[in-house]
Structures are given as C-alpha cells and as structure tokens.
Amino acid sequence: MSKASTPKTPGHVADSHDLIRVLGARENNLRDVSVEIPKRRLTVFTGVSGSGKSSLVFATIAAESQRMINETYSAFVQGFMPNQARPDVDVLDGLTTVITVDQQRLGADPRSTVGTATDANAMLRILFSRLGKPHIGSPQAFSFNVASVSGAGAVTMEKGGRQVKEKRTFSITGGMCPRCEGRGNVTDIDLTQLYDDSKSLAEGALTVPGYTPGGWNYRLYASSGFVDADKPIRKYTKRELNDFLHKEPVRMKIEGINMTYEGLIPRIQKSYLSKDKEGMQPHIRAFVDRAVTFTVCPECGGTRLSEGARSSKIKKISIADACAMQISDLAEWVRGLKEPSVAPLLDKLVHTLDSFVEIGLGYLSLDRPAATLSGGEAQRVKMIRHLGSSLTDVTYVFDEPTIGLHPHDIQRMNELLLRLRDKGNTVLVVEHKPNTIAIADHVIDLGPGAGSAGGEVCFEGTVAGLRKSGTVTGRHFDDRSSVKKSVREPSGALEIRGATAHNLRKVDVDIPLGVLTVITGVAGSGKSSLVHGSIPTDLGVVSVDQTPIRGSRRSNPATYTGLLEPIRKAFAKVNDVKPALFSANSEGACPNCNGVGVTYTDLGVMATVSTMCEVCEGKRFLASVLEYKLGGRDISEVLAMSVTEAVEFFGAGEAHIPAAHAILDRLADVGLGYLSLGQPLTTLSGGEQQRLKLASHMGEKGGVYVLDEPTTGLHLADVEQLLGLLDRLVDSGKSVIVVEHHQAVMAHGDWIIDLGPGAGHDGGQIVFEGTPADLVKDKSTLTGQHLAEYVGR
C-alpha cells in the first residue's frame, strides 16, 4: 500500500498543517482505519458498495467536524441542535469546517419547491413587492405559505393608573390560495371506497383499513348516538349523513370513555391524507390510491397563489408566470430588468439562477415540487448555494455527485469540483464513476469486500497507482462492455401515443416487450416522464424508482422484505407458541431496552450515550424466547446470520421454509449475500438500500419491470452482477425497461430509446430508436457519441 507523500513546506510552522489525519476509525464496519488526506486537494474515496466509504467520510470526518463546531455554541443554543456523539475513532487531527452535500432527498413536504429550497423564491417575492404593479403588499403577499388573516377586538391596558379598553384591528396579506391552502391541488374522496351504503355499520359497512367491527374506530361511530348502527347508510336522513361524514370535532362520552367524535371525512384526512404516502404501510397506501383523487386546484390553476398575488405584474409577468418558466429563460428575463433601486437584489438573483444553468439544472422551474426531484437533482440543488461562495480553506464532502448525470454532463460536474479545490478548499468525494475518479489528486480505495468483508484501506495514492494496483477498483477501472453482437427478438410492443407529461412533445413510441430496453438521454430530457407518466399501470408494471427506503433502527432486511413473517410462523409452529414472541417489536421484546438491543441515556445538551442492554446483551429478545429453537438455532442467532448462511440454513432439514428461501434467493441475486438479516436499515449504504428495494420488488407479480437508474451507488464490479440479474429477469419471460446513464447498461441492452436532444423545453422528443450497435454507428446524438467513445469505436 503506497502512502501520500507529505509536502515539505519550509517557513512558518502554521503552514505545516497540510494533512487531515485519521487514526483508528471504527465506525460501522471500519476496522481501525488510519489514513492521511492532503488538504487543498481533491481526494476521491472508492470501493465496492458497502465497503465503508461513507462511514469514513461522512460518519467519521464530517460528523466530528460538525460536532466540534456545535460545541462552540452556548449550551442554550446547543439545546436546539441535534445531539451528535463523538465518532468511534482514536485520533482526528487537522480537521477544517466541513460542508456536506449528500444524496438525501429534499423534504417531501408538499409545500416545498425548488424555489423555496434555494431561496430563489424569497428574492423573487422581494422583487415583486418592490416593482410589481399594482402594489399589493410586503413580500409575504406573494408567498403561498402565508394565509391572509384579519381580525378586530378590544385590548385592555393600563393608562394613568386605571384600566382602559381600546379597539385594535390587524390584517396580514398573504399569497396563499384559500381553496387549496398553497398546495396547488385539491383532494376529492371517493365515498364508495369508504363504505358500502347498502349495509349498516353493524353489518360492516365501513371499508377503511382499521375500521372493522369491534375496533375503537368502528365503535366511535356505531355507539355515538348520532346515527343508527343497524340502519343501512343509504337510508340515513340528511342530518344523520352530515353528522356521520362531516361533523365538527366534539368531546363526548362513548361507552363510558371520554372521546372526540368527528365526521369520517375530516378524520380520514387527518389520519391518512396529511401524512407522506411513501411512509405508509402498503395496504394503507393502496387504500389512499383507491379512495383519493388529486386534481389541480380550479381557483389558482395549480400556481398555489391567491388572485391578488397573481394580479401584480412586472412587464406583464406575474410571480406565478416567473416560477413556471424554465430557469434558463427566467435568468434571461431577470437580466433584462434594469432597475437601479433593486440592483443588488437583481445581481444576487441572476447569480443564483445562472448557478442552476451552470450545474445542469437550467431545465427545472422554480415551482417544481422538491419531492419530485431525483437523488442526483436534489444533490445538485444543494450545491447551488456553494457555487460562487467566497469561503476558502473549508472541506467540501460530496456523496456521488454524478448520480443522475449523463456522461455529457459529468465533465461539467468535474470542472465544478476542480474549481472548488482551486479556491484553496479540501474536496472529498465518494464516487464510483471512472470519469470522476480520473481527476483526483489522491485516491483512497476501501474494501476488499463489502460489509464485514470490507472496512480496510486497500490502496492510497494516485490514479495511475490505482490502475496498477490489484484492488477490485484497480482491476475494473478500465473495464469496458462491448456492444452485443446479437440481440433478443421482442415478443410484442407497448404502444405509447401522444405522451405529453411534463416536457414531452406528443411522443409516439413503441417500447418492445420481452427484451431489455434502455431509455437514455441527458438529465431533464423526459426519460422519467415517459416511463413513469405514460406507461399504463394496468399492465402489471413493477416500478422500482429512486425514492429512499424509510426505516428506523428497528427495521432490518428481514422486516423490510417480509422475510421475518414466515420465519416467525415456523418458530411458532415447531415450538407450539405464538408468532408474536419472535418479534423484537412485539411480545418477545426485552423489557429493559424495548427490543432495540441498546439503552440510551439522555445527557441534555451533551451527546446521548448508548450502551448495550445489560439484560439481553444486545440480543433484543426475552431470555425465555431464546430457549425456543428452529433447526438448532434461536431467533437472535437467525437474525445474526448473513444472507448466504441463511440460504443454506432455510434450504433443507427442519428449517426448510420455501417462502423464506425464495426471498433469500432474491437478496443473494442482487449481490447482498454478505448482509446480516438483522442489520438496521439505517446502517446500509445508498447502493445497498437500492438493491434491497430491487430484491423486495422482484417478488411482485408483474410482466413489466421498470427500473430507474439501478446502477446508483454501485461499484464497477457490482454493475456486472446487475447486468446478469437483468438478463435472468428477461430470460424468465419478463420485459425490463431501464432508465439509465451508465454506458455498460446501454451497451448490454437489446433496444435503446434516446430522448433529447437537450433538457427541458429543448428535450421531450425521441431522437433515436434502435439497437446499441446502431446507436454507436449513428453517432448523431450525444448518447451515441459517448457510447461510441466508451466501447472504443
């Protein structure tokens, strides 16, 4: 293993601190890792998915820098900040302030847009409050998050030693549309999905999940006295139906218990519709999909803004029009406003909008909901506030900044990373793409494997040294897939006619079935709009998009994939006890730690201390539960198994469980054989989460698989395994449609549909359809040129 040489700088002693030193890092799967990272250089961290890159860069270096900065604030201020424990590391020396730009999606709040997430909306609101005609008020009059409120009343105050009453009035002019409350769409509830009106409540008329006869939700309505529980709902009087569906909340005694009664519709809106749909259990999400329809607000036309906010204009453009413009066009419009009184504001706004264009997001609009951005788009939106920053000598940490980027755009991203470095900053990048690894001044390769087989430094040095090294990354660095000589014949075609979702321009295309089809094109060209917005859902489509897995410390691969259910039932059957005993979230949980395995001690403003539970010793279950065995193993030993061990264990003998074995086979197929069944989801890397999600969807019944950038977070070596998996899916009779930028996947496809030629309103058209070999020969599109270069043609 080669080491980075320390530059010798004669002169002032302050100039000698030019390394970040990490000694004995043990976060997650790291095994006493020690590295020296040169400052004011671009260092790229490589290694297979799950090898420990994020544990070293984010959970150790970035976390400790953030913790130390937080400690400089007063105890009062720290009370409002998230508590962070010191990373498990012996020495961290030479740290600077860290600015982290990670892959976390922007908030799923329906009120959050690209404009609100980047402060561009805040500047536009000030601009319209100063220059808009007619003048309607302060900047909040243009905000769709501020409602208009007015009121009047008497206030009592003391004057001259006696109490007097004076009348006071107040009013706030906000920009929120009163009909949709600033959300842009309104919800209609299909009553036929809530109840069967031919039945009475006693006969089980309610069809809402959790409202079955006998439960508290059912008894709230049946025993309220407002309706007759034995009368069919269609025979209710107008008053009864209103009380049943719409009554305002009222406190009352029901069956001797104080409860709040309210109509079924507001109750469902509060319990289901106000929550993020992605976080719901599958059966509740299915109910919401059936029962609720979202339509564009008829009052504001989806702009979220009140009539007053839409009426105030600058050069015939309202703030709603400005937010709906493509950002590259909006930048030109703002540049044309010559108004000395707001010159500093215009300069700042133009700079922000130009940053969008520079980073390859000029095709977005400011009113685009933040939750609809892909992982790569969200990360680049976060980068915008750092472009043009005058800060120097800070450490920028990026987590795969090339996610979601076409090869054509990667060069632009590389230039931005180098520009940040050249200003005197330390740039640390976790990356898999060879194009970005190639620009590194210093490379740190972790491995050799993933999970418990990783966590060691395999190589430190230059890119040239990495190429010659025998590490997994070094061996695969110059891998190039060749275009298939023969492609599969399609068994049919999926016809799409007149697709107009987002920026698509009446696209007509036939997607072949029974083959591997790759949808390509620059970011923003309309790929996801074509696949997710135009393919009919009634064809048994299994869609695997980029939304992250939601899970807590209690969630693990066994619970997420449904593997634990057949295992618990098998344990219960063999031992003649209840299945609930074998759940650490139910009756079998250790009472001391509530089934978490660790206990937490809250120390106020200090970091919360976690210690292994003394009662269960981290096993999470009651001692009596661990006496029950299946195939000679207790439930905690089963959860400690790796997927590979579990495949063997549940494949034969007493522990043979076909349902569990099928799920384990799928986990092994996606390359997660090294994961332990009970590992918390919060400790999985981005690539591992992506593959876990793919494995869970592979069990669904469907003839068409739609995968959105499945190579996200995957090492060069893992991409080979993914291609093998895609081939097996197609050979088993499935149709696989992949939205992808990775040239290895393009070259491996049977058919390519390329969108473009550009992004936003410059895209939305089919620029090529054919085999990868034809695309390489054609070279008329950006994708064709980069694929030809990749395969060496």
Side-chain angles (χ1 to χ4, degrees):
M1 185 176 75
S2 59
K3 280 270 182 186
S5 57
T6 308
K8 291 180 180 169
T9 45
H12 202 287
V13 68
D15 297 329
S16 63
H17 299 281
D18 47 17
L19 290 173
I20 296 173
R21 290 170 56 244
V22 181
L23 297 178
R26 291 175 294 275
E27 275 297 308
N28 297 325
N29 67 331
L30 296 179
R31 298 197 229 166
D32 272 326
V33 165
S34 298
V35 289
E36 290 185 343
I37 302 165
K39 287 186 184 175
R40 294 175 288 283
R41 297 291 183 272
L42 175 64
T43 301
V44 174
F45 294 78
T46 62
V48 296
S49 177
S51 60
K53 305 181 296 297
S54 295
S55 299
L56 177 59
V57 180
F58 288 91
T60 305
I61 297 170
E64 177 65 356
S65 173
Q66 188 61 59
R67 188 187 72 83
M68 294 176 81
I69 290 168
N70 289 358
E71 282 190 350
T72 63
Y73 296 107
S74 67
F76 173 75
V77 173
Q78 285 183 56
F80 297 98
M81 293 177 162
N83 285 333
Q84 289 179 310
R86 187 180 187 279
D88 190 0
V89 59
D90 294 333
V91 178
L92 267 174
D93 191 32
L95 288 180
T96 68
T97 304
V98 167
I99 294 173
T100 303
V101 186
D102 58 19
Q103 288 178 39
Q104 291 297 319
R105 290 292 185 90
L106 294 168
D109 191 304
R111 297 182 185 283
S112 181
T113 65
V114 169
T116 59
T118 56
D119 298 336
N121 262 33
M123 289 183 272
L124 268 182
R125 292 199 299 269
I126 298 169
L127 184 67
F128 274 85
S129 70
R130 299 289 187 274
L131 303 183
K133 296 284 190 291
H135 176 75
I136 62 164
S138 67
Q140 63 187 14
F142 296 91
S143 171
F144 53 74
N145 287 325
V146 179
S148 293
V149 185
S150 61
V155 294
T156 305
M157 58 179 67
E158 286 206 6
K159 275 190 176 180
R162 61 194 180 89
Q163 286 193 338
V164 293
K165 284 190 175 181
E166 289 190 8
K167 191 178 179 184
R168 288 277 191 274
T169 61
F170 76 94
S171 75
I172 297 170
T173 304
M176 178 189 288
C177 167
R179 172 76 191 275
C180 65
E181 297 182 348
R183 283 183 160 86
N185 54 43
V186 287
T187 56
D188 288 327
I189 294 179
D190 182 356
L191 297 181
T192 61
Q193 297 294 336
L194 305 188
Y195 56 81
D196 179 350
D197 68 354
S198 66
K199 294 180 181 176
S200 67
L201 291 178
E203 292 170 329
L206 292 174
T207 54
V208 181
Y211 284 69
T212 47
W216 272 114
N217 285 326
Y218 162 79
R219 286 149 74 184
L220 179 73
Y221 294 96
S223 307
S224 65
F226 291 117
V227 295
D228 183 349
D230 296 312
K231 183 162 72 171
I233 293 175
R234 66 169 55 152
K235 293 186 178 175
Y236 283 1
T237 63
K238 274 189 177 179
R239 174 152 190 185
E240 281 180 315
L241 194 61
N242 185 65
D243 285 346
F244 175 54
L245 292 178
H246 303 290
K247 191 167 183 66
E248 294 292 316
V250 54
R251 290 288 290 172
M252 60 189 297
K253 253 196 170 85
I254 296 176
E255 296 186 11
I257 297 171
N258 287 323
M259 296 179 75
T260 299
Y261 177 93
E262 66 180 324
L264 184 63
I265 287 176
R267 189 171 167 84
I268 283 172
Q269 283 174 328
K270 283 179 190 170
S271 57
Y272 293 150
L273 304 190
S274 61
K275 293 177 182 171
D276 176 24
K277 208 163 80 170
E278 285 304 317
M280 294 176 180
Q281 291 173 288
H283 70 288
I284 293 176
R285 193 184 316 156
F287 160 72
V288 172
D289 286 337
R290 281 196 317 272
V292 183
T293 55
F294 293 90
T295 52
V296 172
C297 174
E299 200 160 304
C300 67
T303 63
R304 307 162 179 252
L305 292 160
S306 64
E307 189 178 351
R310 301 195 309 272
S311 68
S312 182
K313 299 186 177 182
I314 303 172
K315 291 189 175 179
K316 299 182 181 178
I317 296 287
S318 69
I319 191 166
D321 299 330
C323 290
M325 279 186 195
Q326 187 165 302
I327 288 173
S328 54
D329 297 339
L330 179 60
E332 290 306 312
W333 179 75
V334 174
R335 205 174 267 113
L337 299 176
K338 306 294 182 189
E339 185 59 50
S341 63
V342 289
L345 176 67
L346 291 172
D347 289 346
K348 177 68 176 167
L349 182 54
V350 166
H351 175 264
T352 300
L353 297 174
D354 282 345
S355 295
F356 273 99
V357 179
E358 186 179 4
I359 211 163
L361 294 177
Y363 59 87
L364 295 178
S365 59
L366 295 182
D367 63 2
R368 169 91 172 257
T372 65
L373 298 179
S374 69
E377 286 172 333
Q379 188 170 12
R380 283 180 283 154
V381 163
K382 291 178 197 170
M383 281 182 73
I384 281 162
R385 63 182 64 233
H386 306 304
L387 296 180
S389 165
S390 50
L391 289 173
T392 60
D393 262 329
V394 297
T395 301
Y396 285 95
V397 177
F398 294 96
D399 193 2
E400 294 184 58
T402 60
I403 283 179
L405 286 185
H406 189 270
H408 170 69
D409 298 317
I410 290 177
Q411 184 56 39
R412 183 186 280 171
M413 177 59 72
N414 287 351
E415 287 166 7
L416 291 173
L417 295 174
L418 292 171
R419 197 193 315 164
L420 283 173
R421 177 204 66 184
D422 293 345
K423 283 167 78 174
N425 298 307
T426 305
V427 181
L428 310 182
V429 183
V430 173
E431 190 51 83
H432 291 296
K433 297 268 174 69
N435 311 30
T436 299
I437 299 171
I439 65 165
D441 301 306
H442 190 66
V443 179
I444 296 175
D445 189 30
L446 284 103
S452 57
E456 297 178 18
V457 175
C458 299
F459 173 81
E460 266 189 280
T462 62
V463 178
L466 176 68
R467 274 192 163 102
K468 293 174 189 165
S469 71
T471 67
V472 177
T473 309
R475 290 199 306 273
H476 288 274
F477 192 83
D478 291 309
D479 278 4
R480 295 292 180 268
S481 294
S482 55
V483 175
K484 281 184 178 175
K485 287 188 175 125
S486 62
V487 295
R488 301 178 183 94
E489 286 298 318
S491 58
L494 183 63
E495 293 184 4
I496 294 175
R497 296 291 178 266
T500 54
H502 297 118
N503 65 330
L504 295 178
R505 302 196 215 167
K506 293 185 179 174
V507 167
D508 295 337
V509 65
D510 292 339
I511 299 178
L513 296 175
V515 298
L516 175 58
T517 304
V518 186
I519 314 286
T520 62
V522 296
S525 59
K527 303 182 298 298
S528 295
S529 301
L530 179 67
V531 170
H532 298 302
S534 308
I535 291 179
T537 53
D538 56 357
L539 293 169
V541 174
V542 177
S543 180
V544 186
D545 59 16
Q546 289 185 35
T547 46
I549 286 176
R550 295 176 182 276
S552 64
R553 267 195 63 87
R554 292 181 177 275
S555 311
N556 53 50
T559 57
Y560 180 79
T561 57
L563 170 66
L564 202 55
E565 194 64 29
I567 292 175
R568 283 206 309 257
K569 285 178 179 171
F571 263 97
K573 188 176 179 183
V574 167
N575 295 285
D576 198 23
V577 290
K578 289 194 294 186
L581 284 174
F582 303 99
S583 169
N585 299 326
S586 187
E587 293 178 30
C590 164
N592 187 53
C593 63
N594 294 322
V596 179
V598 293
T599 54
Y600 297 100
T601 308
D602 186 8
L603 300 175
V605 297
M606 307 293 285
T608 300
V609 175
S610 61
T611 50
M612 185 185 285
C613 174
E614 296 172 356
V615 176
C616 66
E617 296 177 339
K619 292 181 178 176
R620 303 172 61 192
F621 292 89
L622 287 162
S624 56
V625 172
L626 299 181
E627 290 173 12
Y628 300 117
K629 309 275 184 179
L630 174 70
R633 304 282 187 102
D634 65 45
I635 186 69
S636 71
E637 289 172 329
V638 166
L639 289 174
M641 286 181 183
S642 70
V643 169
T644 307
E645 283 177 78
V647 167
E648 197 175 322
F649 180 73
F650 290 109
E654 185 197 355
H656 178 53
I657 309 172
H661 197 261
I663 295 171
L664 289 163
D665 275 340
R666 291 199 292 271
L667 287 168
D669 272 350
V670 296
L672 293 177
Y674 59 88
L675 274 192
S676 66
L677 304 184
Q679 183 175 338
L681 289 188
T682 49
T683 64
L684 300 188
S685 70
E688 287 169 334
Q689 290 192 13
Q690 177 89 338
R691 283 182 285 166
L692 183 62
K693 192 173 179 183
L694 177 58
S696 67
H697 281 288
M698 278 169 60
E700 295 178 21
K701 290 185 171 68
V704 181
Y705 277 76
V706 175
L707 311 181
D708 196 349
E709 295 188 46
T711 61
T712 298
L714 293 191
H715 186 266
L716 301 160
D718 297 324
V719 172
E720 282 182 19
Q721 187 158 6
L722 176 73
L723 294 176
L725 174 64
L726 297 180
D727 277 341
R728 286 197 296 279
L729 281 173
V730 175
D731 293 339
S732 69
K734 310 285 187 188
S735 302
V736 180
I737 302 167
V738 183
V739 176
E740 192 52 83
H741 291 295
H742 202 297
Q743 293 105 315
V745 180
M746 294 180 201
H748 200 75
D750 298 307
W751 193 258
I752 286 188
I753 298 171
D754 194 21
L755 281 95
H761 58 46
D762 296 327
Q765 301 175 62
I766 304 288
V767 292
F768 177 84
E769 287 180 82
T771 65
D774 291 340
L775 179 63
V776 167
K777 199 186 296 179
D778 183 66
K779 287 188 192 172
S780 62
T781 69
L782 283 170
T783 307
Q785 291 159 20
H786 284 277
L787 184 58
E789 187 183 326
Y790 175 81
V791 298
R793 296 281 180 86

